[in-house]
Amino acid sequence: MAEGRSNNAIASRLFVTDKAVGKHINNIFTKLGLPPSDDDNRRVLAVLTYLNG
């Protein structure tokens, strides 16, 4: 996700399904308290949260 890859690209590299990647990414968003938003990109916010520790 931090490399800008889509769920499909992540799934291909990890040899798992798109659905599995989507589920894990949604769990990450939930744990970080990042609700769906029209104004924000949750993937970018998740990576920034991770990098800022």
Side-chain angles (χ1 to χ4, degrees), residues 9-32:
I10 295 168
S12 294
R13 290 190 65 157
L14 297 176
F15 305 104
V16 298
T17 65
D18 292 348
K19 185 176 179 180
V21 172
K23 183 175 181 178
H24 286 289
I25 289 175
N26 281 328
N27 286 338
I28 290 168
F29 293 152
T30 300
K31 288 179 182 180
L32 294 177

Side-chain angles (χ1 to χ4, degrees), residues 29-50:
F29 293 152
T30 300
K31 288 179 182 180
L32 294 177
L34 299 171
S37 170
D38 292 334
D39 297 328
D40 299 317
N41 185 319
R42 291 192 302 168
R43 287 175 173 261
V44 172
L45 293 174
V47 171
L48 290 173
T49 300
Y50 172 77

